Structure formats: structure tokens, C-alpha cells
Amino acid sequence: MRQLLAISLDSLDVGLEIWDEQDRLVLYNKKINHLLNGLHTPASIGKVYSQLMRVSLAQHLIKTKIGCEEEWLSLRLLTRGNSKEPVLHEFSGDRWANTYETRTPEGYLIVAWVDV
């Protein structure tokens, strides 16, 4: 069943991430890596969001946050999963994406990334 879910998610034209109630990455699809320059690898599964974001910030993948990385991460952790509106992100390589975050009743966070 998990393999069918992964294949189905890979067929979508949006990037998708699923995070558990402890904010660990559970699943992602191929489109997310197309949008975000290979952000996730199989080794990313089980890693906490803040760990993965620190790596992205250190590699300057999040263009507009250079110089204020820790402040941005602190604010992001406070607001993560609470926005009712899409959030626009700018990445290196002149890439932009909107994220749509939805919490499940179990506390999981589903994040859809749409290339703009």
C-alpha cells in the first residue's frame, strides 16, 4: 500500500511533503525535488524539519534569508502549519513557490508546493 501511495504522489504536478506529529519527514514526492533542487534524499526521511532547514540555509538554498537565517527559522517554526493562506517562498536560481499547509486531526502536516 505504501508503494502505491508513493507512486501516486509522484504522478502529481505539485511538490508534496508529509511530516509526522513530531515534525519528522515521512514522505515526499519527486516533484518537490524538481522544484527545490534535490532538497530531499532517502536519508531525509525521519529527519526533523528544523534539521533539514538548517542544511538548506547553510547551502543558501533559501535566497532571501541569507544573513538572518536563525531569525527566519525561529519565526518559521512558530508559524509552521498555522497559515490558512499560501506562503510564497523565493529560492536560489530565481525560483518561486507557494506552499499550502494542512494539519490532519492526528497532527501530521501535509505541505503542497506549487511552482509560480
Side-chain angles (χ1 to χ4, degrees), residues 31-64:
K31 183 68 174 187
I32 193 79
N33 280 337
H34 174 73
L35 289 171
L36 303 178
N37 299 321
L39 176 67
H40 296 310
T41 68
S44 300
I45 299 296
K47 296 269 171 68
V48 176
Y49 175 80
S50 59
Q51 284 179 291
L52 294 172
M53 286 304 97
R54 279 194 171 84
V55 170
S56 294
L57 289 165
Q59 295 173 348
H60 302 295
L61 296 177
I62 306 173
K63 183 178 180 179
T64 58

PDB file of all heavy atoms in Angstrom, residues 31-64:
ATOM      1  N   LYS A  31       8.337  15.567  -7.429  1.00  0.00           N
ATOM      2  CA  LYS A  31       8.145  16.952  -7.866  1.00  0.00           C
ATOM      3  C   LYS A  31       8.782  17.941  -6.886  1.00  0.00           C
ATOM      4  O   LYS A  31       9.293  18.978  -7.293  1.00  0.00           O
ATOM      5  CB  LYS A  31       6.652  17.243  -8.041  1.00  0.00           C
ATOM      6  CG  LYS A  31       6.336  18.619  -8.554  1.00  0.00           C
ATOM      7  CD  LYS A  31       6.794  18.811  -9.984  1.00  0.00           C
ATOM      8  CE  LYS A  31       6.327  20.148 -10.515  1.00  0.00           C
ATOM      9  NZ  LYS A  31       6.603  20.326 -11.922  1.00  0.00           N
ATOM     10  N   ILE A  32       8.786  17.623  -5.605  1.00  0.00           N
ATOM     11  CA  ILE A  32       9.392  18.530  -4.621  1.00  0.00           C
ATOM     12  C   ILE A  32      10.874  18.727  -4.926  1.00  0.00           C
ATOM     13  O   ILE A  32      11.401  19.826  -4.819  1.00  0.00           O
ATOM     14  CB  ILE A  32       9.168  18.042  -3.165  1.00  0.00           C
ATOM     15  CG1 ILE A  32       9.523  19.134  -2.158  1.00  0.00           C
ATOM     16  CG2 ILE A  32       9.977  16.824  -2.829  1.00  0.00           C
ATOM     17  CD1 ILE A  32       8.488  20.155  -1.994  1.00  0.00           C
ATOM     18  N   ASN A  33      11.538  17.665  -5.342  1.00  0.00           N
ATOM     19  CA  ASN A  33      12.959  17.785  -5.669  1.00  0.00           C
ATOM     20  C   ASN A  33      13.180  18.527  -6.973  1.00  0.00           C
ATOM     21  O   ASN A  33      14.191  19.197  -7.136  1.00  0.00           O
ATOM     22  CB  ASN A  33      13.624  16.413  -5.687  1.00  0.00           C
ATOM     23  CG  ASN A  33      13.947  15.960  -4.292  1.00  0.00           C
ATOM     24  OD1 ASN A  33      14.083  16.764  -3.387  1.00  0.00           O
ATOM     25  ND2 ASN A  33      14.076  14.665  -4.108  1.00  0.00           N
ATOM     26  N   HIS A  34      12.251  18.431  -7.892  1.00  0.00           N
ATOM     27  CA  HIS A  34      12.346  19.222  -9.121  1.00  0.00           C
ATOM     28  C   HIS A  34      12.198  20.712  -8.788  1.00  0.00           C
ATOM     29  O   HIS A  34      12.948  21.545  -9.288  1.00  0.00           O
ATOM     30  CB  HIS A  34      11.285  18.783 -10.122  1.00  0.00           C
ATOM     31  CG  HIS A  34      11.226  19.643 -11.334  1.00  0.00           C
ATOM     32  ND1 HIS A  34      12.195  19.614 -12.312  1.00  0.00           N
ATOM     33  CD2 HIS A  34      10.325  20.580 -11.713  1.00  0.00           C
ATOM     34  CE1 HIS A  34      11.887  20.498 -13.248  1.00  0.00           C
ATOM     35  NE2 HIS A  34      10.762  21.094 -12.905  1.00  0.00           N
ATOM     36  N   LEU A  35      11.252  21.030  -7.940  1.00  0.00           N
ATOM     37  CA  LEU A  35      11.012  22.426  -7.561  1.00  0.00           C
ATOM     38  C   LEU A  35      12.151  22.991  -6.713  1.00  0.00           C
ATOM     39  O   LEU A  35      12.506  24.162  -6.843  1.00  0.00           O
ATOM     40  CB  LEU A  35       9.713  22.550  -6.765  1.00  0.00           C
ATOM     41  CG  LEU A  35       8.414  22.354  -7.524  1.00  0.00           C
ATOM     42  CD1 LEU A  35       7.247  22.284  -6.558  1.00  0.00           C
ATOM     43  CD2 LEU A  35       8.204  23.475  -8.525  1.00  0.00           C
ATOM     44  N   LEU A  36      12.711  22.172  -5.841  1.00  0.00           N
ATOM     45  CA  LEU A  36      13.648  22.671  -4.837  1.00  0.00           C
ATOM     46  C   LEU A  36      15.056  22.105  -4.985  1.00  0.00           C
ATOM     47  O   LEU A  36      15.779  21.943  -4.001  1.00  0.00           O
ATOM     48  CB  LEU A  36      13.101  22.373  -3.437  1.00  0.00           C
ATOM     49  CG  LEU A  36      11.719  22.955  -3.150  1.00  0.00           C
ATOM     50  CD1 LEU A  36      11.253  22.568  -1.764  1.00  0.00           C
ATOM     51  CD2 LEU A  36      11.714  24.462  -3.317  1.00  0.00           C
ATOM     52  N   ASN A  37      15.461  21.829  -6.210  1.00  0.00           N
ATOM     53  CA  ASN A  37      16.843  21.435  -6.498  1.00  0.00           C
ATOM     54  C   ASN A  37      17.349  20.275  -5.655  1.00  0.00           C
ATOM     55  O   ASN A  37      18.424  20.338  -5.063  1.00  0.00           O
ATOM     56  CB  ASN A  37      17.785  22.635  -6.341  1.00  0.00           C
ATOM     57  CG  ASN A  37      17.443  23.758  -7.281  1.00  0.00           C
ATOM     58  OD1 ASN A  37      17.091  23.516  -8.428  1.00  0.00           O
ATOM     59  ND2 ASN A  37      17.528  24.978  -6.803  1.00  0.00           N
ATOM     60  N   GLY A  38      16.566  19.198  -5.584  1.00  0.00           N
ATOM     61  CA  GLY A  38      17.027  17.997  -4.883  1.00  0.00           C
ATOM     62  C   GLY A  38      17.089  18.139  -3.377  1.00  0.00           C
ATOM     63  O   GLY A  38      17.949  17.546  -2.730  1.00  0.00           O
ATOM     64  N   LEU A  39      16.163  18.884  -2.804  1.00  0.00           N
ATOM     65  CA  LEU A  39      16.153  19.155  -1.361  1.00  0.00           C
ATOM     66  C   LEU A  39      16.177  17.876  -0.530  1.00  0.00           C
ATOM     67  O   LEU A  39      16.935  17.766   0.420  1.00  0.00           O
ATOM     68  CB  LEU A  39      14.915  19.981  -1.006  1.00  0.00           C
ATOM     69  CG  LEU A  39      14.688  20.281   0.473  1.00  0.00           C
ATOM     70  CD1 LEU A  39      15.775  21.207   0.995  1.00  0.00           C
ATOM     71  CD2 LEU A  39      13.321  20.899   0.683  1.00  0.00           C
ATOM     72  N   HIS A  40      15.342  16.912  -0.871  1.00  0.00           N
ATOM     73  CA  HIS A  40      15.229  15.696  -0.060  1.00  0.00           C
ATOM     74  C   HIS A  40      15.927  14.519  -0.726  1.00  0.00           C
ATOM     75  O   HIS A  40      15.957  14.402  -1.947  1.00  0.00           O
ATOM     76  CB  HIS A  40      13.766  15.339   0.171  1.00  0.00           C
ATOM     77  CG  HIS A  40      13.007  16.355   0.960  1.00  0.00           C
ATOM     78  ND1 HIS A  40      13.450  16.879   2.165  1.00  0.00           N
ATOM     79  CD2 HIS A  40      11.829  16.969   0.728  1.00  0.00           C
ATOM     80  CE1 HIS A  40      12.580  17.749   2.623  1.00  0.00           C
ATOM     81  NE2 HIS A  40      11.580  17.833   1.766  1.00  0.00           N
ATOM     82  N   THR A  41      16.456  13.651   0.102  1.00  0.00           N
ATOM     83  CA  THR A  41      17.039  12.387  -0.334  1.00  0.00           C
ATOM     84  C   THR A  41      16.414  11.302   0.544  1.00  0.00           C
ATOM     85  O   THR A  41      15.769  11.621   1.554  1.00  0.00           O
ATOM     86  CB  THR A  41      18.570  12.376  -0.143  1.00  0.00           C
ATOM     87  OG1 THR A  41      18.854  12.386   1.268  1.00  0.00           O
ATOM     88  CG2 THR A  41      19.241  13.555  -0.825  1.00  0.00           C
ATOM     89  N   PRO A  42      16.609  10.040   0.196  1.00  0.00           N
ATOM     90  CA  PRO A  42      16.093   8.996   1.090  1.00  0.00           C
ATOM     91  C   PRO A  42      16.588   9.161   2.531  1.00  0.00           C
ATOM     92  O   PRO A  42      15.876   8.825   3.476  1.00  0.00           O
ATOM     93  CB  PRO A  42      16.604   7.708   0.445  1.00  0.00           C
ATOM     94  CG  PRO A  42      16.661   8.038  -1.013  1.00  0.00           C
ATOM     95  CD  PRO A  42      17.138   9.475  -1.051  1.00  0.00           C
ATOM     96  N   ALA A  43      17.780   9.720   2.725  1.00  0.00           N
ATOM     97  CA  ALA A  43      18.305   9.948   4.072  1.00  0.00           C
ATOM     98  C   ALA A  43      17.529  11.028   4.832  1.00  0.00           C
ATOM     99  O   ALA A  43      17.645  11.135   6.052  1.00  0.00           O
ATOM    100  CB  ALA A  43      19.781  10.323   4.002  1.00  0.00           C
ATOM    101  N   SER A  44      16.721  11.826   4.124  1.00  0.00           N
ATOM    102  CA  SER A  44      15.926  12.877   4.770  1.00  0.00           C
ATOM    103  C   SER A  44      14.757  12.300   5.556  1.00  0.00           C
ATOM    104  O   SER A  44      14.264  12.939   6.489  1.00  0.00           O
ATOM    105  CB  SER A  44      15.375  13.850   3.724  1.00  0.00           C
ATOM    106  OG  SER A  44      16.402  14.463   2.996  1.00  0.00           O
ATOM    107  N   ILE A  45      14.305  11.124   5.176  1.00  0.00           N
ATOM    108  CA  ILE A  45      13.163  10.509   5.854  1.00  0.00           C
ATOM    109  C   ILE A  45      13.521  10.301   7.325  1.00  0.00           C
ATOM    110  O   ILE A  45      14.577   9.772   7.660  1.00  0.00           O
ATOM    111  CB  ILE A  45      12.767   9.166   5.190  1.00  0.00           C
ATOM    112  CG1 ILE A  45      12.357   9.378   3.739  1.00  0.00           C
ATOM    113  CG2 ILE A  45      11.677   8.457   5.987  1.00  0.00           C
ATOM    114  CD1 ILE A  45      11.114  10.218   3.537  1.00  0.00           C
ATOM    115  N   GLY A  46      12.629  10.747   8.192  1.00  0.00           N
ATOM    116  CA  GLY A  46      12.845  10.625   9.632  1.00  0.00           C
ATOM    117  C   GLY A  46      13.558  11.814  10.251  1.00  0.00           C
ATOM    118  O   GLY A  46      13.597  11.942  11.474  1.00  0.00           O
ATOM    119  N   LYS A  47      14.098  12.703   9.423  1.00  0.00           N
ATOM    120  CA  LYS A  47      14.779  13.897   9.951  1.00  0.00           C
ATOM    121  C   LYS A  47      13.735  14.956  10.321  1.00  0.00           C
ATOM    122  O   LYS A  47      12.693  15.085   9.696  1.00  0.00           O
ATOM    123  CB  LYS A  47      15.736  14.476   8.912  1.00  0.00           C
ATOM    124  CG  LYS A  47      16.873  13.547   8.543  1.00  0.00           C
ATOM    125  CD  LYS A  47      18.068  13.781   9.412  1.00  0.00           C
ATOM    126  CE  LYS A  47      19.158  12.764   9.244  1.00  0.00           C
ATOM    127  NZ  LYS A  47      19.877  12.727   8.030  1.00  0.00           N
ATOM    128  N   VAL A  48      14.077  15.742  11.317  1.00  0.00           N
ATOM    129  CA  VAL A  48      13.200  16.801  11.801  1.00  0.00           C
ATOM    130  C   VAL A  48      13.313  18.009  10.876  1.00  0.00           C
ATOM    131  O   VAL A  48      14.391  18.313  10.347  1.00  0.00           O
ATOM    132  CB  VAL A  48      13.588  17.175  13.251  1.00  0.00           C
ATOM    133  CG1 VAL A  48      12.761  18.344  13.764  1.00  0.00           C
ATOM    134  CG2 VAL A  48      13.426  15.970  14.157  1.00  0.00           C
ATOM    135  N   TYR A  49      12.198  18.710  10.698  1.00  0.00           N
ATOM    136  CA  TYR A  49      12.124  19.875   9.814  1.00  0.00           C
ATOM    137  C   TYR A  49      13.245  20.866  10.096  1.00  0.00           C
ATOM    138  O   TYR A  49      13.917  21.334   9.173  1.00  0.00           O
ATOM    139  CB  TYR A  49      10.755  20.539   9.970  1.00  0.00           C
ATOM    140  CG  TYR A  49      10.620  21.821   9.191  1.00  0.00           C
ATOM    141  CD1 TYR A  49      10.355  21.794   7.835  1.00  0.00           C
ATOM    142  CD2 TYR A  49      10.760  23.062   9.812  1.00  0.00           C
ATOM    143  CE1 TYR A  49      10.232  22.973   7.102  1.00  0.00           C
ATOM    144  CE2 TYR A  49      10.635  24.239   9.099  1.00  0.00           C
ATOM    145  CZ  TYR A  49      10.372  24.185   7.743  1.00  0.00           C
ATOM    146  OH  TYR A  49      10.256  25.347   7.029  1.00  0.00           O
ATOM    147  N   SER A  50      13.461  21.216  11.356  1.00  0.00           N
ATOM    148  CA  SER A  50      14.480  22.227  11.678  1.00  0.00           C
ATOM    149  C   SER A  50      15.872  21.779  11.233  1.00  0.00           C
ATOM    150  O   SER A  50      16.660  22.601  10.770  1.00  0.00           O
ATOM    151  CB  SER A  50      14.463  22.573  13.163  1.00  0.00           C
ATOM    152  OG  SER A  50      14.710  21.427  13.947  1.00  0.00           O
ATOM    153  N   GLN A  51      16.179  20.481  11.346  1.00  0.00           N
ATOM    154  CA  GLN A  51      17.471  19.964  10.867  1.00  0.00           C
ATOM    155  C   GLN A  51      17.618  20.189   9.367  1.00  0.00           C
ATOM    156  O   GLN A  51      18.654  20.653   8.902  1.00  0.00           O
ATOM    157  CB  GLN A  51      17.562  18.450  11.101  1.00  0.00           C
ATOM    158  CG  GLN A  51      17.826  17.991  12.490  1.00  0.00           C
ATOM    159  CD  GLN A  51      17.849  16.467  12.503  1.00  0.00           C
ATOM    160  OE1 GLN A  51      16.817  15.836  12.312  1.00  0.00           O
ATOM    161  NE2 GLN A  51      19.021  15.892  12.710  1.00  0.00           N
ATOM    162  N   LEU A  52      16.593  19.805   8.630  1.00  0.00           N
ATOM    163  CA  LEU A  52      16.641  19.921   7.176  1.00  0.00           C
ATOM    164  C   LEU A  52      16.714  21.382   6.733  1.00  0.00           C
ATOM    165  O   LEU A  52      17.412  21.715   5.779  1.00  0.00           O
ATOM    166  CB  LEU A  52      15.447  19.213   6.545  1.00  0.00           C
ATOM    167  CG  LEU A  52      15.432  17.692   6.731  1.00  0.00           C
ATOM    168  CD1 LEU A  52      14.123  17.109   6.239  1.00  0.00           C
ATOM    169  CD2 LEU A  52      16.610  17.046   6.033  1.00  0.00           C
ATOM    170  N   MET A  53      16.010  22.273   7.442  1.00  0.00           N
ATOM    171  CA  MET A  53      16.045  23.683   7.076  1.00  0.00           C
ATOM    172  C   MET A  53      17.411  24.296   7.369  1.00  0.00           C
ATOM    173  O   MET A  53      17.892  25.136   6.612  1.00  0.00           O
ATOM    174  CB  MET A  53      14.951  24.467   7.796  1.00  0.00           C
ATOM    175  CG  MET A  53      13.564  24.213   7.246  1.00  0.00           C
ATOM    176  SD  MET A  53      13.416  24.535   5.472  1.00  0.00           S
ATOM    177  CE  MET A  53      13.623  22.909   4.770  1.00  0.00           C
ATOM    178  N   ARG A  54      18.047  23.872   8.444  1.00  0.00           N
ATOM    179  CA  ARG A  54      19.395  24.385   8.738  1.00  0.00           C
ATOM    180  C   ARG A  54      20.369  24.021   7.618  1.00  0.00           C
ATOM    181  O   ARG A  54      21.215  24.819   7.234  1.00  0.00           O
ATOM    182  CB  ARG A  54      19.873  23.867  10.082  1.00  0.00           C
ATOM    183  CG  ARG A  54      19.312  24.646  11.232  1.00  0.00           C
ATOM    184  CD  ARG A  54      20.025  24.366  12.545  1.00  0.00           C
ATOM    185  NE  ARG A  54      19.573  25.306  13.551  1.00  0.00           N
ATOM    186  CZ  ARG A  54      18.470  25.153  14.289  1.00  0.00           C
ATOM    187  NH1 ARG A  54      17.718  24.087  14.131  1.00  0.00           N
ATOM    188  NH2 ARG A  54      18.124  26.065  15.173  1.00  0.00           N
ATOM    189  N   VAL A  55      20.237  22.819   7.077  1.00  0.00           N
ATOM    190  CA  VAL A  55      21.085  22.409   5.952  1.00  0.00           C
ATOM    191  C   VAL A  55      20.794  23.292   4.741  1.00  0.00           C
ATOM    192  O   VAL A  55      21.707  23.795   4.087  1.00  0.00           O
ATOM    193  CB  VAL A  55      20.881  20.915   5.613  1.00  0.00           C
ATOM    194  CG1 VAL A  55      21.560  20.542   4.303  1.00  0.00           C
ATOM    195  CG2 VAL A  55      21.383  20.041   6.753  1.00  0.00           C
ATOM    196  N   SER A  56      19.518  23.505   4.435  1.00  0.00           N
ATOM    197  CA  SER A  56      19.132  24.347   3.294  1.00  0.00           C
ATOM    198  C   SER A  56      19.644  25.774   3.469  1.00  0.00           C
ATOM    199  O   SER A  56      20.131  26.389   2.521  1.00  0.00           O
ATOM    200  CB  SER A  56      17.609  24.369   3.130  1.00  0.00           C
ATOM    201  OG  SER A  56      17.138  23.106   2.785  1.00  0.00           O
ATOM    202  N   LEU A  57      19.524  26.300   4.674  1.00  0.00           N
ATOM    203  CA  LEU A  57      20.003  27.660   4.945  1.00  0.00           C
ATOM    204  C   LEU A  57      21.519  27.738   4.811  1.00  0.00           C
ATOM    205  O   LEU A  57      22.050  28.696   4.250  1.00  0.00           O
ATOM    206  CB  LEU A  57      19.557  28.105   6.338  1.00  0.00           C
ATOM    207  CG  LEU A  57      18.059  28.390   6.478  1.00  0.00           C
ATOM    208  CD1 LEU A  57      17.662  28.463   7.946  1.00  0.00           C
ATOM    209  CD2 LEU A  57      17.660  29.646   5.734  1.00  0.00           C
ATOM    210  N   ALA A  58      22.222  26.735   5.298  1.00  0.00           N
ATOM    211  CA  ALA A  58      23.692  26.721   5.202  1.00  0.00           C
ATOM    212  C   ALA A  58      24.159  26.658   3.748  1.00  0.00           C
ATOM    213  O   ALA A  58      25.199  27.204   3.397  1.00  0.00           O
ATOM    214  CB  ALA A  58      24.262  25.548   5.986  1.00  0.00           C
ATOM    215  N   GLN A  59      23.355  26.026   2.892  1.00  0.00           N
ATOM    216  CA  GLN A  59      23.698  25.919   1.477  1.00  0.00           C
ATOM    217  C   GLN A  59      23.154  27.098   0.672  1.00  0.00           C
ATOM    218  O   GLN A  59      23.270  27.118  -0.544  1.00  0.00           O
ATOM    219  CB  GLN A  59      23.153  24.610   0.910  1.00  0.00           C
ATOM    220  CG  GLN A  59      23.794  23.393   1.513  1.00  0.00           C
ATOM    221  CD  GLN A  59      23.127  22.105   1.064  1.00  0.00           C
ATOM    222  OE1 GLN A  59      22.047  22.090   0.477  1.00  0.00           O
ATOM    223  NE2 GLN A  59      23.780  21.000   1.350  1.00  0.00           N
ATOM    224  N   HIS A  60      22.549  28.058   1.357  1.00  0.00           N
ATOM    225  CA  HIS A  60      21.971  29.262   0.730  1.00  0.00           C
ATOM    226  C   HIS A  60      20.913  28.913  -0.316  1.00  0.00           C
ATOM    227  O   HIS A  60      20.787  29.601  -1.323  1.00  0.00           O
ATOM    228  CB  HIS A  60      23.064  30.151   0.121  1.00  0.00           C
ATOM    229  CG  HIS A  60      24.071  30.589   1.119  1.00  0.00           C
ATOM    230  ND1 HIS A  60      23.768  31.414   2.170  1.00  0.00           N
ATOM    231  CD2 HIS A  60      25.392  30.296   1.240  1.00  0.00           C
ATOM    232  CE1 HIS A  60      24.847  31.617   2.898  1.00  0.00           C
ATOM    233  NE2 HIS A  60      25.845  30.949   2.360  1.00  0.00           N
ATOM    234  N   LEU A  61      20.151  27.857  -0.052  1.00  0.00           N
ATOM    235  CA  LEU A  61      19.070  27.491  -0.967  1.00  0.00           C
ATOM    236  C   LEU A  61      17.860  28.398  -0.794  1.00  0.00           C
ATOM    237  O   LEU A  61      17.050  28.530  -1.701  1.00  0.00           O
ATOM    238  CB  LEU A  61      18.662  26.025  -0.747  1.00  0.00           C
ATOM    239  CG  LEU A  61      19.736  24.991  -1.054  1.00  0.00           C
ATOM    240  CD1 LEU A  61      19.229  23.597  -0.734  1.00  0.00           C
ATOM    241  CD2 LEU A  61      20.185  25.083  -2.503  1.00  0.00           C
ATOM    242  N   ILE A  62      17.733  29.003   0.378  1.00  0.00           N
ATOM    243  CA  ILE A  62      16.624  29.919   0.639  1.00  0.00           C
ATOM    244  C   ILE A  62      17.185  31.330   0.516  1.00  0.00           C
ATOM    245  O   ILE A  62      17.694  31.917   1.463  1.00  0.00           O
ATOM    246  CB  ILE A  62      15.993  29.649   2.017  1.00  0.00           C
ATOM    247  CG1 ILE A  62      15.592  28.175   2.110  1.00  0.00           C
ATOM    248  CG2 ILE A  62      14.787  30.559   2.237  1.00  0.00           C
ATOM    249  CD1 ILE A  62      15.115  27.730   3.463  1.00  0.00           C
ATOM    250  N   LYS A  63      17.077  31.857  -0.684  1.00  0.00           N
ATOM    251  CA  LYS A  63      17.788  33.065  -1.110  1.00  0.00           C
ATOM    252  C   LYS A  63      17.547  34.287  -0.219  1.00  0.00           C
ATOM    253  O   LYS A  63      18.482  34.958   0.173  1.00  0.00           O
ATOM    254  CB  LYS A  63      17.377  33.367  -2.545  1.00  0.00           C
ATOM    255  CG  LYS A  63      18.076  34.534  -3.176  1.00  0.00           C
ATOM    256  CD  LYS A  63      17.623  34.691  -4.604  1.00  0.00           C
ATOM    257  CE  LYS A  63      18.290  35.846  -5.279  1.00  0.00           C
ATOM    258  NZ  LYS A  63      17.857  35.959  -6.661  1.00  0.00           N
ATOM    259  N   THR A  64      16.315  34.576   0.095  1.00  0.00           N
ATOM    260  CA  THR A  64      16.002  35.818   0.801  1.00  0.00           C
ATOM    261  C   THR A  64      16.358  35.776   2.274  1.00  0.00           C
ATOM    262  O   THR A  64      16.240  36.785   2.949  1.00  0.00           O
ATOM    263  CB  THR A  64      14.510  36.170   0.659  1.00  0.00           C
ATOM    264  OG1 THR A  64      13.735  35.085   1.184  1.00  0.00           O
ATOM    265  CG2 THR A  64      14.131  36.422  -0.774  1.00  0.00           C
TER     266      THR A  64
END
